[in-house]
Amino acid sequence: MRYLILALFLASPLAAQEIETDLELVLLADASGSIDADELAFQRQSYAAAITDPAVVSAIENTLYGSIAVTYVEWATNQSTVVDWTIIADMDSATRFAEALIGPPRQASGRNAIGSALLYGKDQIEGNDIRGFRRVIDFSGDSMGNTYGPPITVARDEVVAAGITINALPILRNDSFMGFDLPQAYEQSIIGGPNAFVMPARSGPEFTDAVRRKLILEIAGTTPETDFASLLLDGLKISE
């Protein structure tokens, strides 16, 4: 019966009827002025490759409900939903999500508004017709700029108070200001909630691999420091 119900919702805009799933996951990706067109496309391609990785799909299939709900949002001064909420339960639905991610025009632009982006992610979770066993915002960015909207920590605290975990992937750039510890700043001001963690990565292949590992840990509901995480990543042949 579970598979019959899921088949009605796989990789398509969700109907008004509420559906239960293991995880509601907002992929909140940086599209501010520091991210050029090639980098924006690369980020989308990295998430598309990660969500269709057999190890990630296996992690989804082995959750309590056998599925997760995912949406992909890009943020800058404004926020734009690139792919709406989609139930992913197998390789076919993961592939359809990945295909929808590649191609839509850029709609988020301007400077950084991290606080607004976090609250937008919260609104996406609270405004859908899904009941997730867990709720997570997966935030990525390459700075701590916040030139518009509410302060980052105020927004973070509001999201966490709503029962939503925020994880972060700080993108480390070669041209970053020397001496500024972006992962530490993200740990102090952005992440929060049960099992929240930071997973830094540089652009290029390291970024794609970090996205893949981060998704597996989020789907499993654990953090990189646990023995369970090590066993999980080793078992799925994901290098740390």
mmCIF file of all heavy atoms in Angstrom, residues 79-133:
data_model
loop_
_atom_site.group_PDB
_atom_site.id
_atom_site.type_symbol
_atom_site.label_atom_id
_atom_site.label_comp_id
_atom_site.label_asym_id
_atom_site.label_seq_id
_atom_site.Cartn_x
_atom_site.Cartn_y
_atom_site.Cartn_z
ATOM 1 N N GLN A 79 14.580 35.368 -3.095
ATOM 2 C CA GLN A 79 14.663 33.914 -3.139
ATOM 3 C C GLN A 79 13.793 33.400 -4.280
ATOM 4 O O GLN A 79 12.750 33.981 -4.579
ATOM 5 C CB GLN A 79 14.199 33.273 -1.826
ATOM 6 C CG GLN A 79 14.931 33.762 -0.590
ATOM 7 C CD GLN A 79 14.338 35.043 -0.053
ATOM 8 O OE1 GLN A 79 13.128 35.249 -0.079
ATOM 9 N NE2 GLN A 79 15.188 35.940 0.433
ATOM 10 N N SER A 80 14.220 32.301 -4.899
ATOM 11 C CA SER A 80 13.477 31.732 -6.016
ATOM 12 C C SER A 80 13.458 30.206 -5.901
ATOM 13 O O SER A 80 14.515 29.582 -5.744
ATOM 14 C CB SER A 80 14.124 32.134 -7.347
ATOM 15 O OG SER A 80 13.524 31.454 -8.434
ATOM 16 N N THR A 81 12.278 29.628 -5.973
ATOM 17 C CA THR A 81 12.154 28.172 -5.966
ATOM 18 C C THR A 81 12.403 27.650 -7.372
ATOM 19 O O THR A 81 11.646 27.935 -8.297
ATOM 20 C CB THR A 81 10.748 27.746 -5.485
ATOM 21 O OG1 THR A 81 10.557 28.200 -4.140
ATOM 22 C CG2 THR A 81 10.603 26.228 -5.530
ATOM 23 N N VAL A 82 13.461 26.884 -7.532
ATOM 24 C CA VAL A 82 13.837 26.342 -8.838
ATOM 25 C C VAL A 82 13.064 25.054 -9.127
ATOM 26 O O VAL A 82 12.546 24.854 -10.231
ATOM 27 C CB VAL A 82 15.350 26.083 -8.907
ATOM 28 C CG1 VAL A 82 15.746 25.521 -10.278
ATOM 29 C CG2 VAL A 82 16.128 27.365 -8.615
ATOM 30 N N VAL A 83 12.981 24.160 -8.140
ATOM 31 C CA VAL A 83 12.192 22.930 -8.257
ATOM 32 C C VAL A 83 11.307 22.834 -7.025
ATOM 33 O O VAL A 83 11.805 22.863 -5.899
ATOM 34 C CB VAL A 83 13.072 21.665 -8.368
ATOM 35 C CG1 VAL A 83 12.197 20.427 -8.548
ATOM 36 C CG2 VAL A 83 14.051 21.790 -9.527
ATOM 37 N N ASP A 84 10.010 22.733 -7.248
ATOM 38 C CA ASP A 84 9.056 22.702 -6.135
ATOM 39 C C ASP A 84 9.138 21.361 -5.402
ATOM 40 O O ASP A 84 9.844 20.433 -5.819
ATOM 41 C CB ASP A 84 7.641 22.925 -6.667
ATOM 42 C CG ASP A 84 6.719 23.547 -5.633
ATOM 43 O OD1 ASP A 84 7.095 23.587 -4.438
ATOM 44 O OD2 ASP A 84 5.617 23.980 -6.012
ATOM 45 N N TRP A 85 8.407 21.265 -4.294
ATOM 46 C CA TRP A 85 8.418 20.063 -3.466
ATOM 47 C C TRP A 85 8.143 18.813 -4.302
ATOM 48 O O TRP A 85 7.175 18.772 -5.059
ATOM 49 C CB TRP A 85 7.384 20.164 -2.351
ATOM 50 C CG TRP A 85 7.794 21.069 -1.254
ATOM 51 C CD1 TRP A 85 7.294 22.313 -0.986
ATOM 52 C CD2 TRP A 85 8.803 20.816 -0.256
ATOM 53 N NE1 TRP A 85 7.931 22.852 0.111
ATOM 54 C CE2 TRP A 85 8.856 21.964 0.582
ATOM 55 C CE3 TRP A 85 9.652 19.747 0.005
ATOM 56 C CZ2 TRP A 85 9.722 22.062 1.664
ATOM 57 C CZ3 TRP A 85 10.524 19.838 1.081
ATOM 58 C CH2 TRP A 85 10.560 20.978 1.894
ATOM 59 N N THR A 86 9.014 17.839 -4.139
ATOM 60 C CA THR A 86 8.945 16.593 -4.883
ATOM 61 C C THR A 86 9.216 15.435 -3.940
ATOM 62 O O THR A 86 10.143 15.502 -3.129
ATOM 63 C CB THR A 86 10.002 16.576 -6.016
ATOM 64 O OG1 THR A 86 9.797 17.706 -6.874
ATOM 65 C CG2 THR A 86 9.935 15.316 -6.824
ATOM 66 N N ILE A 87 8.414 14.397 -4.042
ATOM 67 C CA ILE A 87 8.671 13.178 -3.277
ATOM 68 C C ILE A 87 9.658 12.310 -4.052
ATOM 69 O O ILE A 87 9.442 11.995 -5.228
ATOM 70 C CB ILE A 87 7.375 12.387 -3.025
ATOM 71 C CG1 ILE A 87 6.424 13.193 -2.146
ATOM 72 C CG2 ILE A 87 7.686 11.037 -2.368
ATOM 73 C CD1 ILE A 87 6.920 13.435 -0.734
ATOM 74 N N ILE A 88 10.754 11.944 -3.389
ATOM 75 C CA ILE A 88 11.764 11.074 -3.998
ATOM 76 C C ILE A 88 11.803 9.775 -3.205
ATOM 77 O O ILE A 88 12.010 9.791 -1.986
ATOM 78 C CB ILE A 88 13.145 11.741 -4.017
ATOM 79 C CG1 ILE A 88 13.094 13.026 -4.866
ATOM 80 C CG2 ILE A 88 14.205 10.782 -4.562
ATOM 81 C CD1 ILE A 88 14.406 13.783 -4.917
ATOM 82 N N ALA A 89 11.607 8.675 -3.906
ATOM 83 C CA ALA A 89 11.583 7.367 -3.248
ATOM 84 C C ALA A 89 12.384 6.315 -3.985
ATOM 85 O O ALA A 89 12.548 5.203 -3.473
ATOM 86 C CB ALA A 89 10.132 6.879 -3.100
ATOM 87 N N ASP A 90 12.886 6.636 -5.169
ATOM 88 C CA ASP A 90 13.642 5.661 -5.957
ATOM 89 C C ASP A 90 14.464 6.408 -7.002
ATOM 90 O O ASP A 90 14.422 7.643 -7.078
ATOM 91 C CB ASP A 90 12.715 4.625 -6.605
ATOM 92 C CG ASP A 90 11.603 5.263 -7.434
ATOM 93 O OD1 ASP A 90 11.775 6.417 -7.891
ATOM 94 O OD2 ASP A 90 10.555 4.614 -7.623
ATOM 95 N N MET A 91 15.191 5.672 -7.824
ATOM 96 C CA MET A 91 16.060 6.305 -8.813
ATOM 97 C C MET A 91 15.265 7.064 -9.861
ATOM 98 O O MET A 91 15.686 8.131 -10.321
ATOM 99 C CB MET A 91 16.952 5.266 -9.488
ATOM 100 C CG MET A 91 17.952 5.850 -10.479
ATOM 101 S SD MET A 91 19.105 7.055 -9.726
ATOM 102 C CE MET A 91 20.235 5.932 -8.881
ATOM 103 N N ASP A 92 14.114 6.552 -10.251
ATOM 104 C CA ASP A 92 13.316 7.235 -11.270
ATOM 105 C C ASP A 92 12.863 8.611 -10.790
ATOM 106 O O ASP A 92 12.974 9.600 -11.520
ATOM 107 C CB ASP A 92 12.096 6.388 -11.643
ATOM 108 C CG ASP A 92 12.457 5.181 -12.486
ATOM 109 O OD1 ASP A 92 13.575 5.165 -13.036
ATOM 110 O OD2 ASP A 92 11.628 4.249 -12.594
ATOM 111 N N SER A 93 12.345 8.681 -9.564
ATOM 112 C CA SER A 93 11.889 9.980 -9.057
ATOM 113 C C SER A 93 13.062 10.910 -8.789
ATOM 114 O O SER A 93 12.965 12.128 -8.985
ATOM 115 C CB SER A 93 11.040 9.794 -7.797
ATOM 116 O OG SER A 93 11.675 8.950 -6.856
ATOM 117 N N ALA A 94 14.202 10.368 -8.359
ATOM 118 C CA ALA A 94 15.399 11.184 -8.170
ATOM 119 C C ALA A 94 15.873 11.765 -9.501
ATOM 120 O O ALA A 94 16.266 12.933 -9.583
ATOM 121 C CB ALA A 94 16.507 10.351 -7.536
ATOM 122 N N THR A 95 15.824 10.954 -10.539
ATOM 123 C CA THR A 95 16.252 11.400 -11.865
ATOM 124 C C THR A 95 15.351 12.504 -12.395
ATOM 125 O O THR A 95 15.826 13.493 -12.984
ATOM 126 C CB THR A 95 16.267 10.223 -12.847
ATOM 127 O OG1 THR A 95 17.204 9.240 -12.383
ATOM 128 C CG2 THR A 95 16.667 10.678 -14.239
ATOM 129 N N ARG A 96 14.056 12.391 -12.173
ATOM 130 C CA ARG A 96 13.138 13.429 -12.635
ATOM 131 C C ARG A 96 13.375 14.744 -11.892
ATOM 132 O O ARG A 96 13.287 15.831 -12.479
ATOM 133 C CB ARG A 96 11.693 12.945 -12.506
ATOM 134 C CG ARG A 96 11.312 11.899 -13.558
ATOM 135 C CD ARG A 96 9.813 11.642 -13.564
ATOM 136 N NE ARG A 96 9.380 10.865 -12.413
ATOM 137 C CZ ARG A 96 9.347 9.539 -12.381
ATOM 138 N NH1 ARG A 96 9.757 8.848 -13.427
ATOM 139 N NH2 ARG A 96 8.924 8.906 -11.304
ATOM 140 N N PHE A 97 13.676 14.647 -10.595
ATOM 141 C CA PHE A 97 14.011 15.858 -9.847
ATOM 142 C C PHE A 97 15.276 16.486 -10.416
ATOM 143 O O PHE A 97 15.347 17.710 -10.606
ATOM 144 C CB PHE A 97 14.207 15.518 -8.373
ATOM 145 C CG PHE A 97 14.553 16.704 -7.513
ATOM 146 C CD1 PHE A 97 13.551 17.482 -6.934
ATOM 147 C CD2 PHE A 97 15.872 17.061 -7.272
ATOM 148 C CE1 PHE A 97 13.858 18.585 -6.148
ATOM 149 C CE2 PHE A 97 16.191 18.150 -6.487
ATOM 150 C CZ PHE A 97 15.185 18.909 -5.924
ATOM 151 N N ALA A 98 16.298 15.670 -10.673
ATOM 152 C CA ALA A 98 17.566 16.175 -11.206
ATOM 153 C C ALA A 98 17.374 16.832 -12.566
ATOM 154 O O ALA A 98 17.952 17.892 -12.850
ATOM 155 C CB ALA A 98 18.572 15.033 -11.299
ATOM 156 N N GLU A 99 16.556 16.240 -13.409
ATOM 157 C CA GLU A 99 16.315 16.800 -14.734
ATOM 158 C C GLU A 99 15.590 18.146 -14.638
ATOM 159 O O GLU A 99 15.863 19.066 -15.417
ATOM 160 C CB GLU A 99 15.505 15.813 -15.575
ATOM 161 C CG GLU A 99 16.302 14.576 -15.982
ATOM 162 C CD GLU A 99 15.447 13.518 -16.650
ATOM 163 O OE1 GLU A 99 14.186 13.634 -16.593
ATOM 164 O OE2 GLU A 99 16.014 12.580 -17.236
ATOM 165 N N ALA A 100 14.682 18.271 -13.679
ATOM 166 C CA ALA A 100 13.958 19.530 -13.503
ATOM 167 C C ALA A 100 14.873 20.635 -12.986
ATOM 168 O O ALA A 100 14.605 21.827 -13.195
ATOM 169 C CB ALA A 100 12.794 19.323 -12.539
ATOM 170 N N LEU A 101 15.961 20.248 -12.327
ATOM 171 C CA LEU A 101 16.886 21.212 -11.732
ATOM 172 C C LEU A 101 17.760 21.893 -12.784
ATOM 173 O O LEU A 101 18.189 23.037 -12.607
ATOM 174 C CB LEU A 101 17.761 20.489 -10.710
ATOM 175 C CG LEU A 101 18.722 21.284 -9.849
ATOM 176 C CD1 LEU A 101 18.010 22.397 -9.125
ATOM 177 C CD2 LEU A 101 19.413 20.352 -8.858
ATOM 178 N N ILE A 102 18.007 21.207 -13.881
ATOM 179 C CA ILE A 102 18.896 21.719 -14.921
ATOM 180 C C ILE A 102 18.069 22.472 -15.962
ATOM 181 O O ILE A 102 17.171 21.907 -16.577
ATOM 182 C CB ILE A 102 19.668 20.578 -15.606
ATOM 183 C CG1 ILE A 102 20.399 19.718 -14.572
ATOM 184 C CG2 ILE A 102 20.643 21.141 -16.633
ATOM 185 C CD1 ILE A 102 21.405 20.472 -13.739
ATOM 186 N N GLY A 103 18.371 23.748 -16.161
ATOM 187 C CA GLY A 103 17.711 24.468 -17.238
ATOM 188 C C GLY A 103 16.917 25.694 -16.879
ATOM 189 O O GLY A 103 16.925 26.681 -17.635
ATOM 190 N N PRO A 104 16.181 25.732 -15.734
ATOM 191 C CA PRO A 104 15.400 26.937 -15.422
ATOM 192 C C PRO A 104 16.291 28.171 -15.330
ATOM 193 O O PRO A 104 17.423 28.095 -14.853
ATOM 194 C CB PRO A 104 14.773 26.607 -14.059
ATOM 195 C CG PRO A 104 14.701 25.114 -14.029
ATOM 196 C CD PRO A 104 15.934 24.656 -14.751
ATOM 197 N N PRO A 105 15.814 29.320 -15.792
ATOM 198 C CA PRO A 105 16.628 30.537 -15.744
ATOM 199 C C PRO A 105 16.869 31.007 -14.316
ATOM 200 O O PRO A 105 16.107 30.680 -13.402
ATOM 201 C CB PRO A 105 15.787 31.552 -16.520
ATOM 202 C CG PRO A 105 14.373 31.064 -16.358
ATOM 203 C CD PRO A 105 14.476 29.566 -16.360
ATOM 204 N N ARG A 106 17.927 31.759 -14.166
ATOM 205 C CA ARG A 106 18.238 32.346 -12.867
ATOM 206 C C ARG A 106 17.209 33.427 -12.531
ATOM 207 O O ARG A 106 16.935 34.304 -13.338
ATOM 208 C CB ARG A 106 19.640 32.953 -12.921
ATOM 209 C CG ARG A 106 20.119 33.586 -11.629
ATOM 210 C CD ARG A 106 21.517 34.157 -11.811
ATOM 211 N NE ARG A 106 22.177 34.436 -10.552
ATOM 212 C CZ ARG A 106 23.495 34.340 -10.381
ATOM 213 N NH1 ARG A 106 24.262 33.960 -11.378
ATOM 214 N NH2 ARG A 106 24.034 34.613 -9.207
ATOM 215 N N GLN A 107 16.653 33.351 -11.310
ATOM 216 C CA GLN A 107 15.667 34.333 -10.889
ATOM 217 C C GLN A 107 16.045 35.030 -9.580
ATOM 218 O O GLN A 107 15.466 36.060 -9.243
ATOM 219 C CB GLN A 107 14.297 33.680 -10.751
ATOM 220 C CG GLN A 107 13.758 33.152 -12.079
ATOM 221 C CD GLN A 107 12.366 32.582 -11.960
ATOM 222 O OE1 GLN A 107 11.601 32.975 -11.075
ATOM 223 N NE2 GLN A 107 12.026 31.663 -12.835
ATOM 224 N N ALA A 108 16.984 34.484 -8.850
ATOM 225 C CA ALA A 108 17.486 35.130 -7.633
ATOM 226 C C ALA A 108 18.758 35.891 -7.985
ATOM 227 O O ALA A 108 19.635 35.375 -8.672
ATOM 228 C CB ALA A 108 17.769 34.100 -6.555
ATOM 229 N N SER A 109 18.872 37.123 -7.502
ATOM 230 C CA SER A 109 20.049 37.926 -7.826
ATOM 231 C C SER A 109 20.226 39.011 -6.772
ATOM 232 O O SER A 109 19.371 39.224 -5.924
ATOM 233 C CB SER A 109 19.896 38.569 -9.214
ATOM 234 O OG SER A 109 18.767 39.428 -9.235
ATOM 235 N N GLY A 110 21.372 39.675 -6.842
ATOM 236 C CA GLY A 110 21.654 40.760 -5.911
ATOM 237 C C GLY A 110 22.641 40.336 -4.839
ATOM 238 O O GLY A 110 23.372 39.361 -4.989
ATOM 239 N N ARG A 111 22.636 41.070 -3.744
ATOM 240 C CA ARG A 111 23.576 40.817 -2.664
ATOM 241 C C ARG A 111 23.001 39.787 -1.694
ATOM 242 O O ARG A 111 21.923 39.224 -1.916
ATOM 243 C CB ARG A 111 23.915 42.130 -1.969
ATOM 244 C CG ARG A 111 24.473 43.184 -2.940
ATOM 245 C CD ARG A 111 24.815 44.474 -2.237
ATOM 246 N NE ARG A 111 26.008 44.323 -1.391
ATOM 247 C CZ ARG A 111 26.535 45.314 -0.679
ATOM 248 N NH1 ARG A 111 25.958 46.517 -0.696
ATOM 249 N NH2 ARG A 111 27.599 45.111 0.064
ATOM 250 N N ASN A 112 23.744 39.529 -0.602
ATOM 251 C CA ASN A 112 23.347 38.471 0.329
ATOM 252 C C ASN A 112 22.243 38.920 1.277
ATOM 253 O O ASN A 112 22.293 40.020 1.824
ATOM 254 C CB ASN A 112 24.556 38.028 1.167
ATOM 255 C CG ASN A 112 25.612 37.341 0.333
ATOM 256 O OD1 ASN A 112 25.379 37.014 -0.823
ATOM 257 N ND2 ASN A 112 26.766 37.122 0.920
ATOM 258 N N ALA A 113 21.291 38.024 1.495
ATOM 259 C CA ALA A 113 20.256 38.230 2.504
ATOM 260 C C ALA A 113 20.011 36.877 3.172
ATOM 261 O O ALA A 113 18.982 36.233 2.963
ATOM 262 C CB ALA A 113 18.982 38.780 1.877
ATOM 263 N N ILE A 114 20.989 36.461 3.982
ATOM 264 C CA ILE A 114 20.953 35.117 4.565
ATOM 265 C C ILE A 114 19.775 34.955 5.523
ATOM 266 O O ILE A 114 19.097 33.925 5.525
ATOM 267 C CB ILE A 114 22.288 34.811 5.268
ATOM 268 C CG1 ILE A 114 23.421 34.747 4.236
ATOM 269 C CG2 ILE A 114 22.192 33.503 6.053
ATOM 270 C CD1 ILE A 114 24.798 34.550 4.846
ATOM 271 N N GLY A 115 19.520 35.966 6.351
ATOM 272 C CA GLY A 115 18.404 35.872 7.278
ATOM 273 C C GLY A 115 17.085 35.662 6.550
ATOM 274 O O GLY A 115 16.273 34.806 6.926
ATOM 275 N N SER A 116 16.861 36.429 5.494
ATOM 276 C CA SER A 116 15.640 36.284 4.703
ATOM 277 C C SER A 116 15.568 34.905 4.054
ATOM 278 O O SER A 116 14.493 34.299 3.966
ATOM 279 C CB SER A 116 15.577 37.363 3.624
ATOM 280 O OG SER A 116 15.493 38.658 4.192
ATOM 281 N N ALA A 117 16.713 34.403 3.589
ATOM 282 C CA ALA A 117 16.745 33.090 2.950
ATOM 283 C C ALA A 117 16.344 31.992 3.927
ATOM 284 O O ALA A 117 15.562 31.089 3.585
ATOM 285 C CB ALA A 117 18.136 32.818 2.393
ATOM 286 N N LEU A 118 16.845 32.067 5.160
ATOM 287 C CA LEU A 118 16.504 31.053 6.158
ATOM 288 C C LEU A 118 14.998 31.074 6.468
ATOM 289 O O LEU A 118 14.363 30.017 6.589
ATOM 290 C CB LEU A 118 17.314 31.270 7.427
ATOM 291 C CG LEU A 118 18.827 31.064 7.309
ATOM 292 C CD1 LEU A 118 19.513 31.412 8.629
ATOM 293 C CD2 LEU A 118 19.163 29.632 6.904
ATOM 294 N N LEU A 119 14.439 32.267 6.577
ATOM 295 C CA LEU A 119 13.006 32.365 6.858
ATOM 296 C C LEU A 119 12.177 31.898 5.667
ATOM 297 O O LEU A 119 11.092 31.325 5.842
ATOM 298 C CB LEU A 119 12.638 33.800 7.235
ATOM 299 C CG LEU A 119 13.224 34.299 8.558
ATOM 300 C CD1 LEU A 119 12.753 35.728 8.834
ATOM 301 C CD2 LEU A 119 12.835 33.381 9.718
ATOM 302 N N TYR A 120 12.666 32.124 4.461
ATOM 303 C CA TYR A 120 11.981 31.616 3.268
ATOM 304 C C TYR A 120 11.955 30.086 3.292
ATOM 305 O O TYR A 120 10.934 29.467 2.976
ATOM 306 C CB TYR A 120 12.686 32.115 2.003
ATOM 307 C CG TYR A 120 11.988 31.735 0.715
ATOM 308 C CD1 TYR A 120 10.983 32.531 0.188
ATOM 309 C CD2 TYR A 120 12.361 30.585 0.016
ATOM 310 C CE1 TYR A 120 10.356 32.196 -1.010
ATOM 311 C CE2 TYR A 120 11.731 30.231 -1.166
ATOM 312 C CZ TYR A 120 10.730 31.040 -1.679
ATOM 313 O OH TYR A 120 10.105 30.699 -2.861
ATOM 314 N N GLY A 121 13.080 29.490 3.674
ATOM 315 C CA GLY A 121 13.120 28.035 3.791
ATOM 316 C C GLY A 121 12.112 27.528 4.809
ATOM 317 O O GLY A 121 11.429 26.517 4.589
ATOM 318 N N LYS A 122 12.018 28.214 5.930
ATOM 319 C CA LYS A 122 11.031 27.868 6.957
ATOM 320 C C LYS A 122 9.611 27.944 6.393
ATOM 321 O O LYS A 122 8.784 27.046 6.621
ATOM 322 C CB LYS A 122 11.182 28.800 8.150
ATOM 323 C CG LYS A 122 10.077 28.709 9.206
ATOM 324 C CD LYS A 122 10.363 29.692 10.334
ATOM 325 C CE LYS A 122 9.208 29.791 11.337
ATOM 326 N NZ LYS A 122 8.045 30.513 10.757
ATOM 327 N N ASP A 123 9.320 29.013 5.654
ATOM 328 C CA ASP A 123 7.987 29.176 5.078
ATOM 329 C C ASP A 123 7.661 28.053 4.096
ATOM 330 O O ASP A 123 6.502 27.601 4.020
ATOM 331 C CB ASP A 123 7.882 30.526 4.364
ATOM 332 C CG ASP A 123 7.878 31.708 5.330
ATOM 333 O OD1 ASP A 123 7.643 31.485 6.541
ATOM 334 O OD2 ASP A 123 8.135 32.840 4.866
ATOM 335 N N GLN A 124 8.667 27.610 3.339
ATOM 336 C CA GLN A 124 8.432 26.518 2.390
ATOM 337 C C GLN A 124 8.044 25.234 3.107
ATOM 338 O O GLN A 124 7.185 24.469 2.651
ATOM 339 C CB GLN A 124 9.673 26.284 1.527
ATOM 340 C CG GLN A 124 10.111 27.465 0.691
ATOM 341 C CD GLN A 124 8.956 28.108 -0.045
ATOM 342 O OE1 GLN A 124 8.362 27.502 -0.938
ATOM 343 N NE2 GLN A 124 8.618 29.339 0.325
ATOM 344 N N ILE A 125 8.670 24.981 4.243
ATOM 345 C CA ILE A 125 8.359 23.775 5.007
ATOM 346 C C ILE A 125 6.984 23.884 5.658
ATOM 347 O O ILE A 125 6.177 22.941 5.597
ATOM 348 C CB ILE A 125 9.451 23.519 6.063
ATOM 349 C CG1 ILE A 125 10.754 23.083 5.382
ATOM 350 C CG2 ILE A 125 9.001 22.465 7.078
ATOM 351 C CD1 ILE A 125 11.925 22.919 6.316
ATOM 352 N N GLU A 126 6.706 25.016 6.250
ATOM 353 C CA GLU A 126 5.450 25.161 6.975
ATOM 354 C C GLU A 126 4.246 25.351 6.050
ATOM 355 O O GLU A 126 3.102 25.107 6.450
ATOM 356 C CB GLU A 126 5.549 26.336 7.951
ATOM 357 C CG GLU A 126 6.563 26.103 9.063
ATOM 358 C CD GLU A 126 6.596 27.214 10.083
ATOM 359 O OE1 GLU A 126 6.244 28.357 9.721
ATOM 360 O OE2 GLU A 126 6.968 26.948 11.233
ATOM 361 N N GLY A 127 4.497 25.740 4.804
ATOM 362 C CA GLY A 127 3.395 26.027 3.901
ATOM 363 C C GLY A 127 3.055 24.922 2.929
ATOM 364 O O GLY A 127 2.173 25.083 2.084
ATOM 365 N N ASN A 128 3.760 23.783 3.017
ATOM 366 C CA ASN A 128 3.452 22.700 2.079
ATOM 367 C C ASN A 128 2.388 21.764 2.655
ATOM 368 O O ASN A 128 1.877 21.979 3.751
ATOM 369 C CB ASN A 128 4.726 21.925 1.702
ATOM 370 C CG ASN A 128 5.363 21.239 2.891
ATOM 371 O OD1 ASN A 128 4.702 20.863 3.851
ATOM 372 N ND2 ASN A 128 6.683 21.052 2.841
ATOM 373 N N ASP A 129 2.055 20.726 1.911
ATOM 374 C CA ASP A 129 1.058 19.746 2.339
ATOM 375 C C ASP A 129 1.721 18.412 2.663
ATOM 376 O O ASP A 129 1.208 17.339 2.341
ATOM 377 C CB ASP A 129 0.001 19.558 1.247
ATOM 378 C CG ASP A 129 -0.797 20.823 1.006
ATOM 379 O OD1 ASP A 129 -1.314 21.388 1.986
ATOM 380 O OD2 ASP A 129 -0.890 21.263 -0.153
ATOM 381 N N ILE A 130 2.881 18.502 3.326
ATOM 382 C CA ILE A 130 3.673 17.321 3.650
ATOM 383 C C ILE A 130 3.876 17.273 5.152
ATOM 384 O O ILE A 130 4.061 18.309 5.790
ATOM 385 C CB ILE A 130 5.053 17.366 2.950
ATOM 386 C CG1 ILE A 130 4.884 17.674 1.457
ATOM 387 C CG2 ILE A 130 5.802 16.053 3.133
ATOM 388 C CD1 ILE A 130 6.164 18.094 0.788
ATOM 389 N N ARG A 131 3.861 16.099 5.694
ATOM 390 C CA ARG A 131 4.190 15.919 7.110
ATOM 391 C C ARG A 131 5.455 15.078 7.182
ATOM 392 O O ARG A 131 5.428 13.866 7.001
ATOM 393 C CB ARG A 131 3.044 15.228 7.857
ATOM 394 C CG ARG A 131 3.337 15.069 9.376
ATOM 395 C CD ARG A 131 2.238 14.270 10.052
ATOM 396 N NE ARG A 131 0.939 14.929 9.919
ATOM 397 C CZ ARG A 131 -0.209 14.357 10.275
ATOM 398 N NH1 ARG A 131 -0.211 13.121 10.748
ATOM 399 N NH2 ARG A 131 -1.345 15.018 10.131
ATOM 400 N N GLY A 132 6.577 15.735 7.431
ATOM 401 C CA GLY A 132 7.852 15.036 7.507
ATOM 402 C C GLY A 132 8.182 14.627 8.932
ATOM 403 O O GLY A 132 7.978 15.412 9.870
ATOM 404 N N PHE A 133 8.714 13.425 9.089
ATOM 405 C CA PHE A 133 9.173 12.978 10.404
ATOM 406 C C PHE A 133 10.277 13.886 10.917
ATOM 407 O O PHE A 133 10.374 14.156 12.107
ATOM 408 C CB PHE A 133 9.661 11.528 10.297
ATOM 409 C CG PHE A 133 10.151 10.945 11.586
ATOM 410 C CD1 PHE A 133 9.271 10.673 12.628
ATOM 411 C CD2 PHE A 133 11.503 10.663 11.769
ATOM 412 C CE1 PHE A 133 9.728 10.136 13.818
ATOM 413 C CE2 PHE A 133 11.957 10.126 12.963
ATOM 414 C CZ PHE A 133 11.069 9.865 13.987
#
